[in-house]
Amino acid sequence: MPSVFIKTYGCQMNERDSEAVAAQLVAKGYSLAPSEALADVVLLNTCSVRDNAEHKAVSKMENLAGQFRKHRPGVILGFLGCMAQSRGRELIDQLPDVDLVVGTQKFHRVADYVDDLLAGRRSKIVDIEEEHGSEATIKEHLLNGTAKAKPVTSFVSIMQGCNQYCTFCIVPYTRGQERSRTIPDIVAECRELVSRGVKEITLLGQIVTSYGRRGGESGKVGKRESEQASVAGQNPLSHSPAFSPALTPFVQLLDAVHAIEGLERIRFTSPHPKGYGQDLVAAYARLPKLVESAHLPVQSGSDRVLKLMHRGYTRARFLEIIRQLRAVNPEMGITTDIIVGFPGETDDDFAETLSLAREVEFDNAFVFKYSPRRDTPAAAMPDQLPEEVIEARHAQLLALINEIAEAKHKVCEGRVLQILVEGPSRKNPARLEGRTRANKIVIIEGDARHIGQLLDVRIVRAAPFTLYGDPAILNLN
Ligand code: 5AD
């Protein structure tokens, strides 16, 4: 049978989607190629969130096409995911060697399309249609043994799409409107994963805190909220009468997943700050498996910019959430995303972002240069900033974030922290790698029997992005 190589760009949801596509292809008898050079089918699962992510995937495809055209013209080349969704057929016009373009609601069709192309039944396939129920089409991403042996951690997709329409963001146009899976459906998937040895589950969605707020019917791509017809969709919670209506659907889901025996840790990403109501803050105190870690994208420290971005909270409200989370647990690991150079961002606005970063002392942050995206309101706003200004602000903020992150790492030296051992370290496979509850990476010495265990280790050294645990403490376990 032919072999497939899938390269993934972008977020965890994309990683999860690639796993799902790989699982389907393997179920049909395909093998996974160790490199693109040896593959009969090469699929790039793409990201559109910033221009450079698109650019990387396009240049990669140009290289692949050039490489294969002469010596292996039969190799099937495909774009999947977000850029495929937003650009569709245009990608084949630009790169005529591409055979397949499949959008974000059609991952479950990829294996059939690859069959058709290889068998010569069809020559070019573009499928970027919407599909009812696409949020729940593929669950078997780890279940048939295609992934690494006995994974300790796993992603579970709980919802798709986003209706927040931040003015800079392409996601509502690439992932469509919010659609949530039901609680029983999600819990069944989690149970299955746990029965196969998974200890930690990360619940995934573009805006997980909006889980279950809208019906499961609509997957419309690219319609603004104001234009939408109201949808009488099914309520994802309708099968769960036992849950208190006082809790938001997302917290009800956390409760249901928390009840799974054998599951040790729950994470989720990405939430929206406006979803951090009292019930979610309280959940961190109430649910011991919900680890003290929050990735809370702030985007800017300036109220003026937050408003232009359509974020739906103020700087003061964001700081209040952080205060509440740390009051529940002072060990809370807090990370964020920040965009610099949003249209019209002044020196004063940027100074507000710097001061917010100093005030919060994030454990880490992703700092992004604003990148205009097609069809988004911000791309048409006046006062787009010159590249040099954006570059300079990016460097300045990044230096500050790194300085704070390093200092926060340093204070871990000498402390005993619980880690979940995930497997061999990516940098040095002779060692093991795990993460603390607050999501910090810890390297230890140990062997295969430690994989999947929760261990208390003493931190002996803190490097800027990695902690090192003491093997002597490990040996006591
Ligand atoms: N330009 C720069 N960064 C962006 N992000 C989203 N859209 C853009 C854009 N147009 C960032 C946000 C988001 C993260 C996933 O990507 O910070 O939280």
Side-chain angles (χ1 to χ4, degrees), residues 8 216 229 278 328:
T8 309
Q278 274 311 318
V328 166

Side-chain angles (χ1 to χ4, degrees), residues 49-50 168-169 297 299 337-339 368-371 373:
V49 82
R50 283 169 297 278
F168 53 79
C169 190
Q299 313 299 1
D337 293 341
I338 304 176
I339 298 177
F368 300 112
K369 295 177 225 168
Y370 170 70
S371 165
R373 311 311 298 132

